[in-house]
Amino acid sequence: MKSEEIRSKFLEFFQKRGHVIVPSSSVVPDKNDLSVLFTTAGMQQFKPFYLREKSPYGSNVASSQKCVRTSDIEEVGDERHLTFFEMLGNFSFGGYWKKEAISYAHEFITKEMGLSIDYVTIFEGDSEVFEDKESVNIWKAIDPNLTIKKFGREDNFWGPTGESGPCGPTTEIYVNGIEIWNIVFNEYFKNVEGKFEKLKQTGIDTGMGLERLTMALQKKETVFETDLFKSTMQVANSSIIADHIRTSVFMIADGVLPSNTDRGYVLRRLLRRAYIHARKLKIETETLNAVIGKVVEHPSYKGLYAFAENTKEIVMNEIEKFKKTLETGLKQVKADRDPFTLFTSFGLPLEIIKEVVPNVDEDKFKKQMEEHRKLSSSSL
Ligand code: GLY
């Protein structure tokens, strides 16, 4: 099954069950939501409807949301972590609750997708939130043979996005050894002081990565072998390049430009990392342009086509500037042999320096960085 079909089947499944399909919001969050730099979950555009505001779409909605998560940027390349992904989700604001949410998920995964569930997990409870016995009973009623594992806050409690917002215990579905669907029972509001308040109305918030689901259905070992990445991988054959360029294309289409602050800096880091990997693999810069072409040609992302030329120009300008900085910096390192110059004079982080200066003494570098920090904070 192709990724486009998987997405459509998901949305149709929920539409048939009384959900309004809402288009994805931008990867740049609403200006009133300062909790995160990028949209990190499907629920983000619906946050107010879990609280006070009435949803203009009714109580039950579903979407396929463009998400960016860059906190684990260093982990990209391990084939599981993506900086951009699409999150399939169904949501309810005071509409249905645990029984319906779990039954829908079970039916979609086992019947509609024909996958078998390895096991599910539930929240084991702690001093602030009770064990989720209700979910255990619902799962047992659906399938008495299902393995149910219990975990704590680290694994089975979701949210909020950023510091404060709706959050709650979760139940998660595992297929082929990976977590495929996270079902959040929004019962709490975490305030900025970190305290949990009971929400006036309960809510459902689920998230299932399209890429992971596609990987399970297409029986692939990594997301990069699925149809979502096939054409980009054929051009660049590097998961880091395929991931970072894809994310950059989506960011630029939503109005982000490379800069030294906030969102722009994240984009800059992605492009620099993509270039550094291309350089290491002796891949021409022009190939990065070709990867952009492949991203926008994917049948799932037709809407991006209009941005292609503009995106290519922004990416190439940024990379050309970086190339010059890097080459000048590397010449200096050759001359005085201290890679730390690349940080002090050229603003390059260790993560990049490690890639371009073989055998850089990381411990020494980190000590220098510590000293540098102390000096700059004492001179403030
Ligand atoms: N909001 C649910 C999730 O991101 O997993």
Side-chain angles (χ1 to χ4, degrees):
M1 208 187 295
K2 284 251 171 28
S3 54
E4 300 101 89
E5 198 184 335
I6 299 170
R7 186 194 297 105
S8 310
K9 280 198 183 249
F10 178 89
L11 296 174
E12 275 161 26
F13 178 91
F14 283 99
Q15 194 168 33
K16 280 193 199 133
R17 287 156 185 79
H19 293 63
V20 169
I21 308 307
V22 180
S24 171
S25 63
S26 161
V27 297
V28 175
D30 185 89
K31 60 181 182 329
N32 296 319
D33 186 355
L34 301 175
S35 62
V36 275
L37 281 181
F38 291 102
T39 300
T40 55
M43 63 82 74
Q44 212 160 316
Q45 65 164 325
F46 306 125
K47 252 165 130 177
F49 314 142
Y50 289 104
L51 307 172
R52 325 157 271 283
E53 243 173 72
K54 197 170 152 48
S55 154
Y57 315 108
S59 320
N60 305 331
V61 302
S63 68
S64 181
Q65 174 67 47
K66 301 180 282 182
C67 295
V68 170
R69 288 188 189 173
T70 53
S71 53
D72 46 17
I73 191 167
E74 269 88 36
E75 282 171 28
V76 177
D78 75 357
E79 321 267 281
R80 287 250 159 111
H81 290 83
L82 292 171
T83 56
F84 170 88
F85 60 95
E86 262 184 84
M87 183 97 101
L88 303 170
N90 56 296
F91 310 87
S92 184
F93 325 114
Y96 57 87
W97 189 227
K98 294 186 182 179
K99 188 160 177 239
E100 293 86 341
I102 292 176
S103 309
Y104 288 152
H106 179 264
E107 188 187 345
F108 183 77
I109 290 292
T110 60
K111 307 239 164 67
E112 201 74 19
M113 296 288 108
L115 291 167
S116 64
I117 297 177
D118 299 343
Y119 62 92
V120 298
T121 64
I122 64 114
F123 184 61
E124 67 183 359
D126 60 20
S127 57
E128 282 173 305
V129 178
F130 292 117
E131 178 185 336
D132 188 4
K133 289 190 178 137
E134 197 183 343
S135 292
V136 173
N137 292 334
I138 297 167
W139 278 119
K140 277 191 179 151
I142 292 176
D143 180 357
N145 298 320
L146 198 63
T147 306
I148 303 172
K149 299 186 183 181
K150 300 179 183 182
F151 291 103
R153 197 166 287 254
E154 279 275 296
D155 301 288
N156 278 84
F157 195 92
W158 194 86
T161 60
E163 262 184 16
S164 81
C167 53
T170 68
T171 184
E172 296 179 354
I173 299 176
Y174 282 72
V175 171
N176 296 351
I178 53 166
E179 181 209 327
I180 209 114
W181 204 341
N182 186 20
I183 299 157
V184 186
F185 305 118
N186 272 330
E187 285 179 86
Y188 299 94
F189 181 83
K190 189 177 179 192
N191 65 25
V192 279
E193 281 107 47
K195 295 249 165 359
F196 291 97
E197 295 157 8
K198 266 273 192 201
L199 282 172
K200 286 203 182 68
Q201 73 176 16
T202 54
I204 295 293
D205 156 26
T206 87
M208 172 158 60
L210 172 68
E211 292 76 1
R212 281 194 189 181
L213 178 61
T214 306
M215 173 176 139
L217 283 160
Q218 294 179 356
K219 299 194 171 47
K220 302 291 186 198
E221 295 285 313
T222 77
V223 288
F224 296 100
E225 291 161 56
T226 65
D227 73 76
L228 284 157
F229 285 95
K230 199 166 172 222
S231 58
T232 45
M233 288 298 281
Q234 269 167 356
V235 175
N237 200 20
S238 148
S239 53
I240 293 184
I241 295 176
D243 171 83
H244 289 12
I245 293 294
R246 188 169 88 126
T247 307
S248 303
V249 172
F250 277 94
M251 285 184 177
I252 294 168
D254 279 341
V256 182
L257 291 172
S259 76
N260 274 340
T261 53
D262 300 337
R263 281 185 272 277
Y265 184 60
V266 178
L267 173 58
R268 175 159 281 171
R269 273 183 74 192
L270 288 171
L271 291 174
R272 286 179 170 187
R273 271 175 59 94
Y275 169 71
I276 289 290
H277 282 274
R279 187 179 182 274
K280 215 161 88 173
L281 299 169
K282 303 204 175 356
I283 292 173
E284 296 293 326
T285 318
E286 201 31 56
T287 305
L288 301 180
N289 239 349
V291 175
I292 299 176
K294 293 295 174 201
V295 174
V296 302
E297 278 165 20
H298 192 280
S300 281
Y301 307 129
K302 287 199 186 97
L304 292 174
Y305 202 81
F307 298 93
E309 287 316 306
N310 193 24
T311 305
K312 285 180 182 172
E313 204 179 312
I314 292 167
V315 169
M316 284 305 122
N317 275 344
E318 176 65 14
I319 287 176
E320 285 309 321
K321 265 199 301 193
F322 178 57
K323 249 183 181 171
K324 282 199 191 108
T325 310
L326 186 66
E327 297 314 326
T328 317
L330 284 176
K331 262 190 212 144
Q332 290 205 8
V333 173
K334 257 196 175 155
D336 77 5
R337 288 176 191 280
D338 190 354
F340 197 59
T341 331
L342 289 175
F343 172 70
T344 45
S345 310
F346 297 92
L348 301 185
L350 178 59
E351 149 207 347
I352 297 267
I353 297 171
K354 266 181 3 196
E355 302 286 352
V356 287
V357 183
N359 311 325
V360 62
D361 183 343
E362 278 192 52
D363 288 337
K364 182 178 165 205
F365 190 97
K366 283 179 185 152
K367 273 188 202 127
Q368 285 173 306
M369 195 104 117
E370 228 6 77
E371 278 305 305
H372 180 81
R373 253 194 222 117
K374 272 188 213 148
L375 280 174
S376 35
S377 57
S378 64
S379 64
L380 283 179

